[in-house]
Amino acid sequence: TFFNDSTLFIGENINASGFYSYDEINVLSNRVYCSAFSPDGTLLVLGGAFSDLASLFSVSGNTVTYVADIKKGSESLNGSSIRTAMFSPDGKALVLGGYIIGRASIFSVNGTSVTYVADITKNGTDLGNSVFSSAFSPNGSLLVLGGGFSGRASVFSVSGMTVTYIADITRTGTGTLFYVESVAFSPDGSLLVLAGDSGSYASAFSVSGSTVTFLADITKSGTALNGNVNSAVFNHDGSLLVLGGAFSGFASAFSVNGTSVTYIADITKNSVALTGTVNALSFSSDGSMLALGGSSDNYASLYNVDGTNFAWVADIAGSGATINGSVDTIAFYVDDSFIVLGGAFTGY
């Protein structure tokens, strides 16, 4: 989903009862597509189509303070938008990708200093088209990029700030992937899910060392997904996978056992089906809550998670107000004390 403007909010005091209040922390000039907290929670990166495309904020408690726009040396990022931002597990590297010159770049992170290192290439060859999604493996040794570039998804080895192309990821019998909108590793790194906007819409792969092997397309008990998948997220222990998008049901939960991914149910609001596209998903750090953002259904909602049951708690808002436009990125803070939303909604 593409937005005309963006406002970012923090919801405070998250618990089983939902959100008690919210604060507007920054009003940006245009679209916000992605957000990422550093693993230690001291930094927040926002990416989008706003001026300079990516910005860095420091985080202390629930105070978020603008630090700087992220640049390549002395030059601003050159392009129309940043679509993905991802910190490495140790927090020492940041990857940005999107509709930019270079397609995807790696930056070193030292305190509140983010320094351009290099564009990510395939053995010196530019990726050639946009990058929509990215994910580091849990041990930080691999990076997967997904998008509209040749091959659609590629795996790279990571050693410090050096990112080296290994191979494109393929589906057995079908070769080239769909456009890849979302990339997610399981917490133990043994399973990779790629999701996108055509073909099978979502597929599972096993990961062993640097080898990524197609397992199966993800279905609802044998029934193929029938629309775009915009977001894929595992819970904290890898036992659950949730997909969100434009397919029938809009958000669905799956159990994960080894390399087996099994449909559980569509996610609803008190047994009432969702009515519009889901753009963003985020589990809390202990897996007890799921936040969901999209283009309808009051745009953002909070669920309690108990085993394989997802119970709607509340729409995300505060002081009696509701969000009034699409949500495209949603992220719990590292200690789950607040959440960040970015999208097309206006200030309150």
Side-chain angles (χ1 to χ4, degrees):
T1 303
F2 296 88
F3 301 139
N4 293 324
D5 58 13
S6 302
T7 307
L8 186 72
F9 284 84
I10 285 182
E12 301 174 12
N13 304 321
I14 301 173
N15 62 19
S17 299
F19 290 76
Y20 289 112
S21 62
Y22 64 84
D23 293 313
E24 182 181 343
I25 60 170
N26 195 43
V27 180
L28 302 172
S29 61
N30 211 319
R31 309 164 184 168
V32 171
Y33 293 127
C34 56
S35 56
F37 286 107
S38 60
D40 65 1
T42 62
L43 299 176
L44 169 68
V45 170
L46 302 179
F50 52 86
S51 177
D52 291 304
L53 306 185
S55 296
L56 179 71
F57 300 80
S58 64
V59 183
S60 179
N62 60 4
T63 300
V64 178
T65 305
Y66 170 75
V67 175
D69 294 328
I70 298 173
K71 300 179 181 295
K72 288 185 172 183
S74 61
E75 297 182 0
S76 296
L77 300 175
N78 188 352
S80 62
S81 65
I82 293 294
R83 294 291 301 271
T84 182
M86 184 66 62
F87 282 95
S88 60
D90 64 5
K92 295 180 179 179
L94 170 71
V95 168
L96 299 178
Y99 291 92
I100 55 173
I101 300 300
R103 320 302 178 181
S105 302
I106 187 167
F107 299 78
S108 65
V109 181
N110 185 5
T112 58
S113 177
V114 175
T115 304
Y116 170 70
V117 176
D119 292 338
I120 298 171
T121 67
K122 293 183 179 183
N123 296 330
T125 301
D126 183 277
L127 296 176
N129 210 328
S130 303
V131 173
F132 304 145
S133 53
S134 60
F136 284 95
S137 60
N139 66 7
S141 65
L142 299 178
L143 171 69
V144 173
L145 300 180
F149 55 86
S150 176
R152 311 305 188 204
S154 300
V155 61
F156 301 80
S157 66
V158 182
S159 178
M161 294 296 117
T162 301
V163 179
T164 305
Y165 171 70
I166 297 173
D168 293 339
I169 299 172
T170 61
R171 291 167 63 230
T172 300
T174 59
T176 301
L177 293 163
F178 36 81
Y179 275 39
V180 176
E181 301 279 355
S182 185
V183 178
F185 277 98
S186 61
D188 67 0
S190 66
L191 194 64
L192 174 71
V193 169
L194 303 180
D197 68 355
S198 61
S200 64
Y201 299 108
S203 300
F205 300 78
S206 66
V207 182
S208 178
S210 61
T211 301
V212 178
T213 304
F214 174 73
L215 293 169
D217 294 331
I218 297 172
T219 68
K220 293 183 179 184
S221 302
T223 300
L225 301 176
N226 61 354
N228 297 2
V229 177
N230 300 326
S231 184
V233 61
F234 286 94
N235 70 340
H236 66 300
D237 64 6
S239 62
L240 294 174
L241 169 73
V242 175
L243 302 180
F247 54 87
S248 177
F250 301 107
S252 300
F254 300 79
S255 65
V256 181
N257 185 5
T259 58
S260 177
V261 178
T262 305
Y263 173 68
I264 299 170
D266 293 340
I267 295 172
T268 65
K269 295 176 76 170
N270 290 338
S271 299
V272 177
L274 301 180
T275 61
T277 300
V278 171
N279 301 320
L281 299 161
S282 181
F283 273 106
S284 60
S285 62
D286 64 359
S288 66
M289 292 182 286
L290 174 74
L292 178 155
S295 61
S296 61
D297 297 297
N298 289 332
Y299 303 109
S301 298
L302 185 71
Y303 292 80
N304 282 335
V305 183
D306 182 11
T308 60
N309 296 313
F310 291 76
W312 178 76
V313 175
D315 294 329
I316 298 175
S319 303
T322 58
I323 294 170
N324 64 349
S326 296
V327 172
D328 197 48
T329 181
I330 193 164
F332 278 96
Y333 185 56
V334 294
D335 68 0
D336 302 327
S337 62
F338 65 84
I339 198 167
V340 165
L341 311 179
F345 47 89
T346 57
Y348 295 91

